[in-house]
Amino acid sequence: MAEVAELTETDLALVEALQLHPRAPWSRIGTVIGIDATTAARRWRRLTGSGTAWMTAYPTHRASVVGYVDLACAPAAVEPLTRRLLSWGPVFSIERTTGDHQLFLGVAARDLPALDDFATRRLGSLSGVRAVRLSVCTAVHREGSGWLVHTLNERQRADLREAERPGRRRPATGPYADGDRRLLLALGADARRGHAELARECGLSETTVRRRLRRMIDGGEIHFRCDLTQRLAGWPVVATFRVAVPGPGAETVAKALAGLPETRLCSSVTGTDNLLLSVWLRSAGDCVALEERILRRHPGLRIGERSITLHTAKRMGRLLDREGRARAHVSMTAAADGEADDEYGAPF
């Protein structure tokens, strides 16, 4: 399919509609953004076929722990390491960054011992890795599934949010059942897949797929995410800040930073710099302006590190080219303690 050279306002509205209601029927999406259902579906096929936008799904952190790993690498090792880590299921995100650590990884593991084993033995032993720094995520205040393009008006957003409003079931705990894991893996490649297609791939009945999926959505067990090529969308720069939030009030500050329109990721983490903030910006120069705005609003903060992403090679399992277009997908898995095979993790 031909490359998409630019995104129209209708394209951006379509993306935001799917960010708000990822599995809404095309008839509802079209009604909200002012086009018919056939046109909405055709535009989406054009965006996904060119790798400009995509839909994925992944489990919440109920059955795994997440770590953020910084790797300091020999210069000649950065490219080979990037290529090797692309196929590792537990490494769900890879960014090449400025600063003392050339690679920034998002990693999922079954538990803390498995995360320790993965970071120290498996990553630390790779050729060209000079140092490993691990921060354990203790709370997520916003992640990419909560970020919006900000093209729709408030009435349109309200219509979609009302339609997507989940039930109030108590979230499940512990490992996922086998059928749920298969369903999550199938949705990871394309979260817009229909119930009949999911049923065929997972070996379940269509009724069972509908029931399981509704239970996971209502219980907050699954994140849906509509993503896009950030350069064409107008946010070509990714900046990451390590922030120290002292004493009481850290939760309030974290929620305030998570609410910034630029914020893609805001997580509480272990370490002196106890908050990780990743943002999308219009230009590299906006980093200084954003930092000054944050410090004016929260003068007690200290920003310990800041870096700019040179290239995002993998984002939540999606492999991206140098232009930021999606070219392939690797299923996200969770590392298990003592695994011998370093290419794949265990199911969630």
Side-chain angles (χ1 to χ4, degrees):
M1 186 173 290
E3 298 288 354
V4 174
E6 63 178 333
L7 292 170
T8 66
E9 287 299 308
T10 301
D11 291 333
L12 292 172
L14 177 60
V15 168
E16 185 171 349
L18 290 170
Q19 288 175 332
L20 290 164
H21 196 340
R23 290 185 60 83
W26 291 122
S27 56
R28 173 170 287 278
I29 296 289
T31 297
V32 169
I33 67 176
I35 59 178
D36 62 67
T38 301
T39 301
R42 184 178 66 249
R43 280 180 172 268
W44 181 244
R45 285 196 300 271
R46 172 175 167 267
L47 293 176
T48 57
S50 62
T52 306
W54 57 94
M55 286 280 303
T56 192
Y58 45 94
T60 56
H61 303 322
R62 78 165 213 221
S64 62
V65 296
V66 167
Y68 303 109
V69 180
D70 296 287
L71 297 183
C73 314
V78 174
E79 180 61 30
L81 283 169
T82 301
R83 289 197 304 267
R84 183 172 186 182
L85 293 172
L86 286 174
S87 65
W88 290 22
V91 180
F92 56 80
S93 294
I94 305 172
E95 297 179 25
R96 288 160 61 163
T97 68
T98 61
D100 295 333
H101 298 85
Q102 290 73 39
L103 291 177
F104 174 62
L105 314 177
V107 173
R110 282 284 185 87
D111 49 31
L112 290 174
L115 183 61
D116 172 57
D117 177 74
F118 189 85
T120 57
R121 181 178 65 84
R122 295 167 69 185
L123 291 174
S125 65
L126 292 174
S127 176
V129 172
R130 292 174 168 173
V132 178
R133 180 176 66 178
L134 170 63
S135 301
V136 178
C137 175
T138 58
V140 177
H141 309 285
R142 171 183 273 185
E143 51 98 43
S145 64
W147 181 86
L148 297 177
V149 173
H150 288 288
T151 297
L152 302 179
N153 59 44
E154 286 303 320
R155 180 190 58 78
Q156 291 171 309
R157 291 188 189 119
D159 287 346
L160 288 161
R161 285 188 174 116
E162 182 62 31
E164 177 64 355
R165 193 181 303 278
R168 295 189 176 183
R169 301 180 188 179
R170 183 184 298 274
T173 58
Y176 286 93
D178 182 61
D180 291 350
R181 286 196 298 269
R182 281 181 277 145
L183 187 54
L184 282 166
L185 291 172
L187 287 166
D190 180 5
R192 287 286 301 178
R193 300 170 85 177
H195 295 105
E197 184 181 352
L198 290 169
R200 288 193 298 272
E201 178 161 336
C202 298
L204 302 169
S205 71
E206 190 171 339
T207 300
T208 299
V209 166
R210 288 179 182 274
R211 184 178 64 251
R212 286 176 180 265
L213 188 53
R214 176 46 53 189
R215 189 202 71 235
M216 287 193 286
I217 292 171
D218 287 352
E221 301 172 41
I222 185 171
H223 286 306
F224 290 100
R225 179 159 163 167
C226 182
D227 232 323
L228 75 169
T229 303
Q230 63 191 82
R231 180 183 61 81
L232 291 181
W235 293 276
V237 176
V238 180
T240 301
F241 300 90
R242 297 271 185 168
V243 184
V245 186
E251 181 78 11
T252 301
V253 172
K255 288 182 178 179
L257 296 182
L260 295 174
E262 300 92 341
T263 298
R264 290 278 298 187
L265 174 67
C266 183
S267 294
S268 294
V269 295
T270 55
T272 303
D273 294 334
N274 55 352
L275 198 67
L276 181 72
L277 181 69
S278 180
V279 297
W280 278 15
L281 301 171
R282 302 287 186 183
S283 70
D286 288 342
C287 292
V288 175
L290 177 63
E291 186 172 335
E292 290 177 349
R293 178 155 46 103
I294 290 172
L295 293 176
R296 281 197 304 270
R297 294 180 182 179
H298 309 283
L301 301 188
R302 181 185 61 82
I303 297 178
E305 292 182 25
R306 72 277 292 159
S307 63
I308 288 179
T309 296
L310 304 173
H311 171 50
T312 300
K314 188 178 188 181
R315 180 184 299 145
M316 300 309 292
R318 200 71 51 166
L319 309 189
L320 309 182
D321 65 15
R322 297 297 298 189
E323 296 298 313
R325 291 185 172 92
R327 296 308 185 197
H329 175 261
V330 173
S331 295
M332 290 181 282
T333 55
D337 195 13
E339 281 182 319
D341 184 354
D342 65 358
E343 299 298 323
Y344 305 96
F348 286 99

